[in-house]
Amino acid sequence: MPLMKSWVESANTPETDFPLNNLPYGSFRTEDGEAHCGVAIGDMILDVTALEEDGLLMASEEEDEVFFFGDWTEFMALGPDVWSAFRAQITKLLSAENGDAPELVNYLVPQVGTEMLMPFSVSEYTDFYAGKNHAFNVGTMFRGPENALPPNWLSIPIGYNGRASSVVVSGTDVRRPWGQLKGPNDDLPRFAPCARFDLELEMGAIVGTPSEGMVSVQEADDMIFGYVLLNDWSARDIQAWEYQPLGPFQAKATATSVSPWIVTKAALEGFRTSTPDRERELLPYLQEPGPMLYDIELAVTLAPEGKDATTIARTNYNEMYYSAAQQLCHHTTSGCAMNTGDLLGSGTISGPEKENRGSLLELSWGGKEPLTLDTGETRSFLEDGDTLTLTGHAQGDGFRIGFGSCTGTILPAGENKHA
């Protein structure tokens, strides 16, 4: 499919993340302080809440005031048929062929200077460990290459239940956490600020329709509303002391940053690709009926306080061993109900080469090989004042389907009166 033309001229350039082919969904704060739902188009936002209020747009014939509260949670629960019909409405409104375009100009808001909000209410958050290169790298560091992957890894999407309350929208500062730390030569732990704070480059899948009981991989894919960029901030030294025997806990509870625009599955349909060949056959319930991954180019930049950014990693979402649909399917095997607004983190997305590694733990090989930035500074792990920015897009024929950016700046740990 070529670039679709819009009457919003900024949407017709090959460089924009938000052509008419994309139409991602976000939430923003208006001048009067209210939260509104919006659709990104070029460098503008179409105010969906205002259009609904004025009777120019409806989510469906049966529902009104779906966008009244300024996020997309209620809309997500309406299901795939409504999602498809609504996308067709928005596409028609913003198409270059729409003769009513002059009436819609007043419903456009510039993206620059507009405060973006969480685009949906996070019901539950689950983070997976489903990137093979990342799992192999981390396992090699701690157990050697011969035992890098746990025995179950090639059979099951490994994950853990995280904190929905810690999920924040891009642009939110992240304060360095305190926690229990114990070095290899320490007899006992101490309570101190994390010294090995890290990022994890991930994609997040958002559940739109709920489930009861187990679902198939195809049904799971049908349930997914869309995708966001996701940074799973990780306190490696806290994690090293706490993770046995039950896995991550406080090391992963500081923050999880997501990009403000939900790119719908419909926008990504032309970029589907298959998961890799299996080293051993998956159990039948996890086998996919068709391509369930996406070809999405990803990058991470790191900018020290007051200095230019360095691109520290480039990779692709197609490196995942398990798709989001497989992860969601497995999540339901116990009968666990999935809810509208559940967020699934993919796990760190790393490629085969050093420059493809999606965490500083891998890039610096546990701190043994510090990374040199373009500024001349080095990093083994994140320092106060560092700003991390994740970007991603799927490249089409003269256009791209972009996610915008997912950004966070590290604040000092600060005083802790309980330390």
Side-chain angles (χ1 to χ4, degrees), residues 19-359:
L20 188 60
N21 306 63
N22 191 351
L23 302 179
Y25 302 147
S27 299
F28 66 99
R29 195 180 305 282
T30 60
E31 291 183 355
D32 61 7
E34 293 185 355
H36 277 209
C37 291
V39 174
I41 181 71
D43 58 9
M44 307 297 285
I45 303 171
L46 183 69
D47 190 335
V48 170
T49 299
L51 285 168
E52 182 185 62
E53 289 175 350
D54 292 345
L56 299 176
L57 182 68
M58 290 184 65
S60 73
E61 294 181 359
E62 293 77 25
E63 303 287 341
D64 58 3
E65 296 190 339
V66 170
F67 305 112
F68 178 80
F69 294 104
D71 79 14
W72 292 83
T73 309
E74 188 174 344
F75 175 79
M76 287 158 48
L78 298 178
D81 290 343
V82 172
W83 305 343
S84 178
F86 180 78
R87 179 177 172 82
Q89 287 188 72
I90 294 292
T91 301
K92 184 176 180 180
L93 286 176
L94 292 170
S95 170
E97 299 175 358
N98 183 11
D100 296 326
E103 300 178 17
L104 298 173
V105 171
N106 292 333
Y107 294 92
L108 291 179
V109 178
Q111 288 187 33
V112 174
T114 298
E115 180 187 0
M116 299 303 297
L117 309 173
M118 274 296 299
F120 68 105
S121 178
V122 181
S123 177
E124 308 266 5
Y125 169 53
T126 304
D127 192 38
F128 285 86
Y129 187 56
K132 185 182 175 188
N133 292 307
H134 172 71
F136 183 82
N137 287 338
V138 173
T140 297
M141 278 183 240
F142 296 107
R143 296 183 296 275
E146 65 282 354
N147 296 308
L149 295 180
N152 59 356
W153 201 93
L154 294 172
S155 295
I156 185 174
I158 296 172
Y160 67 93
N161 290 312
R163 292 288 301 172
S165 63
S166 296
V167 180
V168 296
V169 72
S170 171
T172 305
D173 293 336
V174 177
R175 188 168 295 280
R176 183 180 298 274
W178 287 72
Q180 282 201 23
L181 315 178
K182 182 184 179 299
N185 299 319
D186 297 335
D187 292 330
L188 294 171
R190 67 189 191 281
F191 192 63
C194 166
R196 293 163 69 91
F197 204 40
D198 200 0
L199 78 140
E200 287 191 342
L201 168 61
E202 302 191 23
M203 295 290 296
I206 301 166
V207 175
T209 51
S211 69
E212 292 184 11
M214 182 178 170
V215 301
S216 69
V217 174
Q218 182 60 63
E219 289 169 333
D221 189 64
D222 294 340
M223 290 166 58
I224 295 172
F225 178 67
Y227 291 82
V228 291
L229 303 173
L230 186 149
N231 186 351
D232 178 32
W233 303 92
S234 299
R236 302 299 186 187
D237 40 6
I238 296 173
Q239 185 177 0
W241 172 236
E242 75 175 7
Y243 84 100
Q244 296 187 41
L246 294 182
F249 183 36
Q250 292 301 90
K252 300 282 191 169
T254 301
T256 300
S257 298
V258 297
S259 52
W261 296 108
I262 304 171
V263 176
T264 64
K265 200 168 50 181
L268 293 169
E269 195 62 32
F271 303 95
R272 283 187 181 264
T273 188
S274 298
T275 46
D277 293 337
R278 303 298 169 182
E279 295 187 26
R280 64 172 178 246
E281 189 174 11
L282 296 176
L283 293 176
Y285 81 93
L286 277 174
Q287 294 176 9
E288 297 165 298
M292 294 288 177
L293 268 185
Y294 300 96
D295 180 4
I296 299 171
E297 298 175 26
L298 301 166
V300 182
T301 66
L302 190 161
E305 186 172 9
K307 297 183 180 179
D308 291 339
T310 299
T311 299
I312 61 172
R314 292 186 185 277
T315 186
N316 194 295
Y317 186 45
N318 63 18
E319 294 287 348
M320 299 304 299
Y321 195 80
Y322 296 101
S323 67
Q326 288 174 308
Q327 293 168 356
L328 180 53
C329 163
H330 182 71
H331 208 324
T332 67
T333 54
S334 65
C336 167
M338 304 303 295
N339 301 314
T340 297
D342 280 352
L343 175 65
L344 307 183
S346 63
T348 306
I349 306 166
S350 296
E353 306 299 331
K354 183 173 182 178
E355 60 267 24
N356 306 141
R357 298 172 182 171
S359 68

